[in-house]
Amino acid sequence: MGEMKKERVVIIGSGPAGLTAALYTARAQLAPVVIAGEQLGGQVAITHEIENYPGFPEGLSGPELVERMKQHAENFGAKVEFDLVESVDFSRGSPFAVKTYGEEYLADSVIVTIGADPRKLGVAGEAEFTGTGVSYCGTCDGFFFRGKDIVVVGGGDSALEEGIFLTRFANSVNIIHRRDALRAGVQLQQRAFNNDKIRFTWNSVVEEIVGDGGGVNAVRLRDTQTGEQTLHPTDGVFIFIGHDPNNAVFGDQIALNENGYIITDQRYRTNVDGVFAAGEIQDEIWRQVATSVGQGTSAAMAAIQWLEAREDSLQALDAVGA
């Protein structure tokens, strides 16, 4: 593999947070390297259309937005590598070792923007209709279901919050839950029960998502008590059964909260001096392109300040040594 490449900044992840961090660190003349994964943009890459990102009133597709972000960062000297991180070593402090399948880097600072993935149902039709009737984000895609009948899968806070939000657009929202009681907070439950557009299908799981070239037209449900299967017509399926932060590569080298998200302070610093995190790997609440962009900006500015301060102190040490 040859010798390690020495870099000022390595950014792990290529979603909106990572590409924004790349833009800011590139403009600071730090020539950041972005380890993009196999697909540019993370979750945004499977978002059919984005209509709530400021400055784009006509809307644009997820892939188009991240391609523009990549181009913007590259214009100022960022390098984007389509590779996966195999391991990191944060144990000895800066510079940090970051090993990918194609390269080894020694990075003075690291910005982690590796994101989180929505949990999948793992049923037939789910992958096939993602972006054409299957969604994991009501805020992103609700507008496309104006006047339609949709189902929401889940029973926690996010399922109910998104379900209530989706009633702004949909004709009806049927919340499908595997049990006969919800896990969501009492007030949220009350709001959902009081909403005329929401109904519930209890003790049921989705066995299959059914559709054609035009998109989704039904879900096959199985009653968890009787085993009976029924075909339920629907125009869309919104799945809210949780997210899994992509933390596996870090092992126990970085502090995580009880749900596996990286813990950061207000300056997006982790517990490892010189390692920062932004976007959904540390944000389990908002999960929007705009919030990730803001977090990527903050993490990059914090990293720039940290590198400058470190440089000053190293120069001071050199002067004392001289």
Side-chain angles (χ1 to χ4, degrees), residues 194-213:
N194 291 341
N195 192 308
D196 292 340
K197 284 190 175 183
I198 293 179
R199 58 197 177 86
F200 291 85
T201 300
W202 303 107
N203 298 314
S204 295
V205 292
V206 175
E207 289 285 294
E208 182 187 2
I209 297 167
V210 182
D212 52 34

Side-chain angles (χ1 to χ4, degrees), residues 14-210:
S14 65
L19 293 173
T20 305
L23 169 63
Y24 272 77
T25 50
R27 280 176 56 83
Q29 309 288 298
L30 294 171
V33 173
V34 179
I35 314 298
E38 291 171 317
Q39 183 180 43
L40 190 74
Q43 286 185 67
V44 177
I46 59 163
T47 305
H48 182 56
E49 196 159 350
I50 296 167
E51 291 195 324
N52 56 2
Y53 189 64
F56 293 91
E58 71 288 353
L60 75 173
S61 75
E64 190 184 354
L65 179 61
V66 291
E67 187 54 49
R68 287 190 188 192
M69 288 180 167
K70 172 178 176 277
Q71 188 64 59
H72 199 169
E74 286 177 336
N75 286 352
F76 288 100
K79 300 184 287 281
V80 177
E81 302 289 348
F82 288 92
D83 201 348
L84 291 164
V85 172
E86 190 179 356
S87 65
V88 299
D89 185 359
F90 294 161
S91 63
R92 291 191 289 270
S94 177
F96 308 101
V98 178
K99 186 170 186 266
T100 71
Y101 287 91
E103 204 63 70
E104 287 193 57
Y105 299 93
L106 234 113
D108 290 337
S109 64
V110 172
I111 304 175
V112 180
T113 61
I114 201 169
D117 284 334
R119 276 189 209 132
K120 310 292 192 291
L121 291 173
V123 298
E126 182 178 13
E128 184 186 344
F129 294 110
T130 294
T132 56
V134 173
S135 173
Y136 304 89
C137 179
T139 322
C140 314
D141 298 329
F143 190 73
F144 304 111
F145 292 86
R146 294 185 303 282
K148 308 274 189 177
D149 298 304
I150 59 175
V151 300
V152 163
V153 184
D157 283 354
S158 62
L160 262 61
E161 281 167 1
E162 300 268 15
I164 291 163
F165 176 80
L166 287 164
T167 61
R168 299 177 185 207
F169 310 103
N171 180 49
S172 71
V173 175
N174 182 10
I175 297 178
I176 297 165
H177 189 41
R178 60 170 56 246
R179 287 181 284 278
D180 60 1
L182 298 163
R183 299 188 316 277
V186 176
Q187 284 181 316
L188 260 180
Q189 290 195 38
Q190 214 49 61
R191 281 177 61 205
F193 291 140
N194 291 341
N195 192 308
D196 292 340
K197 284 190 175 183
I198 293 179
R199 58 197 177 86
F200 291 85
T201 300
W202 303 107
N203 298 314
S204 295
V205 292
V206 175
E207 289 285 294
E208 182 187 2
I209 297 167
V210 182

